[in-house]
Amino acid sequence: MLTGNKYLGLGVDIWSCGVILYALICGYLPFEDENTTILYKKIMNGEYVIPNFVSNEAKDLIKRILTTDPSKRITISEIKQHKFYKILKVNEDL
């Protein structure tokens, strides 16, 4: 949306969920900067760091969700098949 490309609702919503997932796991947002121009560049370039305490499964899902190219971003059905999602689903059922 920052680049002015056509709005693809589902892809944008998946990205937004990735930002929320990152924040829930890490305790802070993936993209932060006091300078708005630098912040937008970080978002558009997908520049963020996942802390070492995050599991490999969670890292993989976050990376696949926060892919800047919407055509390469993970889909809802792929998310539901992802190992981290399945771990969360099993824990939810307990």
Side-chain angles (χ1 to χ4, degrees), residues 7-22 61-67 70 72-79:
Y7 175 77
L8 301 172
L10 185 57
V12 173
D13 290 346
I14 291 171
W15 172 277
S16 298
C17 288
V19 171
I20 293 167
L21 178 64
Y22 183 102
L61 182 56
I62 290 168
K63 287 177 185 177
R64 296 189 65 203
I65 292 174
L66 295 182
T67 298
K72 295 179 182 174
R73 193 171 300 142
I74 192 170
T75 65
I76 294 292
S77 59
E78 291 170 331
I79 290 171

Side-chain angles (χ1 to χ4, degrees), residues 55 57 82-92:
S55 72
E57 294 84 3
H82 194 276
K83 187 174 183 177
F84 186 71
Y85 178 88
K86 289 182 177 185
I87 291 168
L88 293 177
K89 185 70 177 147
V90 167
N91 288 331
E92 177 184 285

